[in-house]
Amino acid sequence: MENQLAKLSEERTFQYQDSLPSLPVPSLEESLKKYLESVKPFANEEEYKKTEAIVQKFQNGIGEKLQQKLLERAKEKRNWLEDWWLNVAYLDVRIPSQLHVNFGGAASHIEHYWPPKEGTQLERGSISLWHILNYWQLLRKEKLPVHKVGNTPLDMNQFRMLFSTCKVPGITRDSLINYFRTESEGHCPSHIAVMCRGRVFVFDVMHEGCLMTPPEILRQLTYIQKKCHSEPDGPGVAALTSEERTRWAKAREYLISLNPENLTMLEKIQSSLLVFCLDDGSPHVTPEDYSQVATKVLTGDPTVRWGDKSYNLISFSNGVFGCNCDHAPYDAMVIVSISYYVDQKIFESEGRWTGSDKVRDIPLPEELVFTVDEKVLNDINQAKAQYFKQASDLQLLVYAFTSFGKKLTKKKKLHPDTFVQLALQLAYYRLHGRPGCCYETAMTRYFYHGRTETVRSCTVEAVRWCQSMQDPSTSLFEQQHRMLEAFAKHNKMMKDCSTGKGFDRHLLGLSLIAKEKCLPVPELFTDPLFSRSGGGGNFVLSTSLIGYLRVQGVVVPMVHNGYGFFYHIRDDRL
C-alpha cells in the first residue's frame, strides 16, 4: 500500500501541461518604450528622433489596431506565438537548414572515462545508445522529472520532440512530423536508423518486449560496420537533406516518383527514434580545446547525417561522440538535458557495461536500399558540393577559459551569465570600435508551449561601460559604477523576457498580424534602425548560455558577417 501511495504521489513528466498559464501579450506602450531604448546605441541624435516619431505614429495609429487583433488571437490560443514562430523561424526558411539552423555539440565523455582511443567506436557507441534508450523509456513512462524554477513547473512539451521526430521538406514550407507517444497514449516506433559510408540500416531496439542490452546493440553495429567496410560505399542519399529546402523538396518528390518503396524507406528514417552516425573521422580533442570535433559535428560528412532529424548521434572512429539536431522541434535545453543524463551515467559506470554479455537471437539489421538513377546521383553530388563550399566559410573555435568560473563571479555577487555577456560586449567594442547588436536567448517555459524570447544585450548602460573601459582618463571607481549599472540593466531584462515581458516576439506578432490581414508593412519595420539594431534576425552577435553543466553546443552565426557565441559556465571554467 505504501508503495502504491508513493507511486501515486510521483509527478508525471507531462502532468502540468494543462494547467500552465497562457503566453501573455505584453502592453504595446511598454514594448515600444523598450524597443526605442534598444535602438539608442546604434543611432545618432537625428536618426533616433526620426525613429522616435515613427514609433509614436505606430503607437497612436495602426499599432493600436494590430494590438487589438493580437489580443483577440490570444483569447483563442493558449500560445498566440507558437504556430507563427515555428513557421517564420524554421519551416518557411529556404536556406539549407542542416548548416544554418541545426545545433550541434561534442560530448564531454573525453574529460573522464572515454578519452579518444581508436577501436572503441562501436563498444562505446552501444553503451551510449543504451543510456539514450533508457532516457527514451523514462519519457515514454513519463518518469522524467518535471523541470521547475523553485516550485513553479516549466513547460515540458519540447521533450516530446526529441525522439521519432523529423522535418519533411516542402516547396514553400516544410512540415514537422512527430511519431512519439507516451505508453499511455499508445504505440510508438522503436527502431533506430544507422548511417555508415553512404548506406542506411534500421533495427528495432526492443526484442520480445525488452530493451536490447549494450552487447546486443554492439552485435548489430558490428554487423553494419563490417558490411560497409568490406563492400562499396552507398549513394549517400542523406546528403540531400543538407541542400537548400525547395531543392531538397523537389529531389525528394523525384526520388519517390522513381519507386514507391523509396517513400517507405524515407518514412522509416523519419519515424526512427534517432539516427546513429558511424563517422570515419577521428577528430582531435582535449578538455581545453574542442574546436576540431565541434567543427566535424557541425560541418562533417553529410552522407552520414540526416539533417532533418531531431537527433543525430555521431560516433567517430576514435570513440569520441557528438550530436547534430534540427532546431525546429525544440530548443537546446532538451538536448542538454539528455546529454547530461548520458554523461552522468557513463561517469557513474566508469564507461563500462557490467551486466550480462549474453546476446539473444535477434534479427539482423535491415538495409534501406534506395532506387536511384543518374539524376539522383547528380543531385547528391550537387548537395555535397554546396554544403562543403558553405561549410568552408565558417570558422569555429571552442576553447576553455580556465582562469576562473562561476565560483568567483558569485563570490563577487555578480551574475555569471551577465558577466559573460558584458565581457562579450566589451570584446566586440574593443575589436570593432563600435557597439554590436546582440541576441541572447531567454526561455519562456513558464508558459504553455513557451520557447524563447530575445534579450538585447547591447544596452545603453553596457555601451557606457565599454566606453569608460576604453577611456584611460576614467577612474576605476567610475568604471565599476558603470559596470554595476550595466549588470542591473541586463538582469532586469532577462527577468522581464522570461516572464513574458520581452518585446521582440511581440513586435514579430504585430508584423505578422499586419501581413495576415494584407495590410501594408508598418514603417516601424522598414526603418533602417530596425534591422541595424538586430530586428528581423539581423543580430551581429548571436549568443546563448548552454547552462551550468558539462554540456556544450554551437550554432552558426545569424548573419554572414556575424559571430555565434555559445558558452557553458562551470565552477572553475568557462
Side-chain angles (χ1 to χ4, degrees):
M1 185 63 188
E2 261 181 347
N3 255 350
Q4 275 183 322
L5 282 173
K7 276 209 172 95
L8 281 175
S9 68
E10 260 178 38
E11 290 179 331
R12 294 186 326 283
T13 307
F14 304 113
Q15 82 175 51
Y16 296 109
Q17 290 304 112
D18 291 340
S19 56
L20 290 166
S22 299
L23 185 71
V25 175
S27 112
L28 181 63
E29 192 185 343
E30 277 298 302
S31 285
L32 293 174
K33 198 172 121 190
K34 286 171 181 169
Y35 167 66
L36 266 180
E37 216 173 292
S38 78
V39 305
K40 260 186 188 156
F42 310 99
N44 60 34
E45 211 169 315
E46 192 187 331
E47 289 168 326
Y48 181 73
K49 282 210 154 49
K50 194 181 162 204
T51 296
E52 202 174 25
I54 290 170
V55 167
Q56 201 56 55
K57 185 181 149 196
F58 180 80
Q59 189 176 329
N60 301 332
I62 188 69
E64 189 58 53
K65 292 191 183 82
L66 298 173
Q67 175 77 350
Q68 281 315 115
K69 293 198 184 325
L70 193 56
L71 289 167
E72 282 162 29
R73 179 182 167 97
K75 273 189 193 135
E76 290 159 27
K77 291 177 180 282
R78 288 183 66 191
N79 188 318
W80 57 266
L81 177 65
E82 185 178 13
D83 307 343
W84 275 347
W85 181 249
L86 191 60
N87 291 335
V88 172
Y90 301 112
L91 304 181
D92 292 340
V93 176
R94 297 292 89 195
I95 55 172
S97 57
Q98 184 171 333
L99 192 59
H100 295 279
V101 178
N102 287 25
F103 45 66
S108 48
H109 320 318
I110 65 123
E111 296 188 29
H112 44 84
Y113 292 103
W114 284 0
K117 188 183 173 189
E118 290 299 330
T120 60
Q121 181 182 25
L122 300 187
E123 190 190 345
R124 288 178 179 180
S126 64
I127 292 171
S128 186
L129 268 172
W130 185 74
H131 290 304
I132 288 167
L133 295 170
N134 278 305
Y135 190 93
W136 167 68
Q137 290 203 315
L138 287 176
L139 261 182
R140 288 213 69 212
K141 291 175 167 50
E142 289 198 65
K143 285 194 153 91
L144 194 71
V146 180
H147 289 191
K148 292 183 179 182
V149 173
N151 289 323
T152 310
L154 301 178
D155 184 275
M156 294 295 284
N157 182 60
Q158 293 179 50
F159 283 85
R160 302 181 66 94
M161 304 293 176
L162 176 57
F163 295 105
S164 298
T165 301
C166 199
K167 196 162 62 184
V168 175
I171 302 295
T172 56
R173 173 181 286 172
D174 297 346
S175 52
L176 207 52
I177 306 187
N178 174 249
Y179 302 82
F180 174 81
R181 299 287 177 272
T182 61
E183 279 187 357
S184 63
E185 289 165 346
H187 176 73
C188 173
S190 57
H191 64 283
I192 67 167
V194 180
M195 303 206 170
C196 180
R197 297 201 173 174
R199 296 166 74 173
V200 189
F201 297 80
V202 290
F203 65 86
D204 204 306
V205 296
M206 301 296 286
H207 183 64
E208 291 169 351
C210 288
L211 189 59
M212 277 190 190
T213 63
E216 290 169 337
I217 297 169
L218 177 60
R219 197 208 65 169
Q220 304 291 62
L221 297 180
T222 307
Y223 167 82
I224 291 166
Q225 193 182 60
K226 274 190 175 148
K227 201 168 167 57
C228 292
H229 284 216
S230 62
E231 296 170 5
D233 289 1
V237 170
L240 294 172
T241 65
S242 71
E243 185 55 279
E244 187 272 341
R245 301 307 296 171
T246 302
R247 266 203 214 115
W248 162 216
K250 288 175 179 168
R252 185 177 181 275
E253 281 179 2
Y254 180 77
L255 193 62
I256 294 164
S257 74
L258 278 182
N259 185 342
E261 274 301 298
N262 283 347
L263 175 60
T264 308
M265 290 187 271
L266 286 168
E267 285 172 343
K268 276 188 180 162
I269 297 168
Q270 286 163 201
S271 60
S272 64
L273 294 181
L274 57 95
V275 171
F276 185 73
C277 317
L278 283 168
D279 195 306
D280 292 337
S282 182
H284 169 78
V285 59
T286 69
E288 279 68 49
D289 183 3
Y290 279 85
S291 305
Q292 205 179 343
V293 64
T295 303
K296 278 268 179 273
V297 161
L298 211 58
T299 65
D301 181 357
T303 67
V304 289
R305 324 252 191 285
W306 199 264
D308 294 343
K309 275 300 274 184
S310 57
Y311 197 172
N312 288 277
L313 177 67
I314 302 162
S315 169
F316 294 103
S317 77
N318 57 347
V320 172
F321 292 84
C323 62
N324 184 305
C325 310
D326 175 29
H327 203 330
Y330 61 78
D331 300 311
M333 56 81 204
V334 174
I335 204 77
V336 168
S337 180
I338 187 168
S339 300
Y340 179 67
Y341 169 88
V342 172
D343 192 52
Q344 283 298 97
K345 294 293 177 193
I346 289 167
F347 183 75
E348 285 162 16
S349 62
E350 299 186 1
R352 291 195 299 267
W353 164 250
T354 50
S356 162
D357 285 336
K358 188 175 166 286
V359 174
R360 291 170 291 175
D361 185 20
I362 287 169
L364 288 171
E366 170 202 352
E367 183 169 8
L368 306 181
V369 183
F370 287 92
T371 302
V372 298
D373 64 3
E374 211 50 46
K375 181 182 159 13
V376 175
L377 296 174
N378 276 339
D379 287 345
I380 291 168
N381 285 332
Q382 191 188 344
K384 288 201 284 202
Q386 71 78 26
Y387 173 81
F388 285 122
K389 183 174 185 284
Q390 296 206 20
S392 69
D393 190 38
L394 179 71
Q395 185 187 12
L396 207 158
L397 299 163
V398 186
Y399 293 145
F401 171 86
T402 54
S403 307
F404 58 85
K406 76 170 191 283
K407 228 186 220 157
L408 187 64
T409 59
K410 281 191 155 179
K411 195 176 161 190
K412 300 284 180 195
K413 296 188 168 56
L414 299 172
H415 193 296
D417 177 56
T418 311
F419 183 92
V420 175
Q421 283 291 327
L422 289 174
L424 180 60
Q425 283 299 317
L426 182 58
Y428 187 91
Y429 194 88
R430 281 180 174 165
L431 194 58
H432 295 277
R434 61 176 186 272
C437 58
C438 181
Y439 166 100
E440 184 190 4
T441 313
M443 67 94 188
T444 53
R445 289 173 61 210
Y446 287 112
F447 305 103
Y448 177 78
H449 288 193
R451 287 190 64 167
T452 59
E453 175 59 276
T454 302
V455 174
R456 295 196 181 196
S457 305
C458 188
T459 58
V460 171
E461 291 82 351
V463 174
R464 277 194 204 127
W465 172 63
C466 290
Q467 288 164 340
S468 78
M469 293 296 284
Q470 290 302 84
D471 179 1
S473 67
T474 312
S475 71
L476 196 62
F477 176 79
E478 177 68 11
Q479 287 173 339
Q480 188 191 28
H481 173 68
R482 290 196 167 177
M483 181 190 82
L484 292 174
E485 281 185 336
F487 261 90
K489 176 62 185 246
H490 192 94
N491 294 344
K492 183 180 185 317
M493 279 195 313
M494 181 56 86
K495 191 178 176 202
D496 278 355
C497 288
S498 301
T499 51
K501 298 188 189 90
F503 68 85
D504 269 272
R505 303 288 185 267
H506 185 196
L507 292 185
L508 173 70
L510 296 170
S511 75
L512 291 174
I513 281 274
K515 194 177 169 185
E516 263 186 17
K517 306 289 175 196
C518 300
L519 299 166
V521 178
E523 196 184 354
L524 177 79
F525 304 107
T526 57
D527 174 20
L529 258 190
F530 180 73
S531 54
R532 201 188 309 159
S533 61
N538 286 291
F539 292 98
V540 173
L541 289 161
S542 168
T543 76
S544 231
L545 167 68
I546 308 295
Y548 298 94
L549 308 165
R550 196 174 42 220
V551 178
Q552 51 178 308
V554 286
V555 192
V556 301
M558 203 179 279
V559 291
H560 190 73
N561 61 326
Y563 300 90
F565 188 84
F566 306 92
Y567 51 98
H568 68 285
I569 302 174
R570 306 190 204 173
D571 283 347
D572 59 346
R573 60 170 59 193
L574 305 164

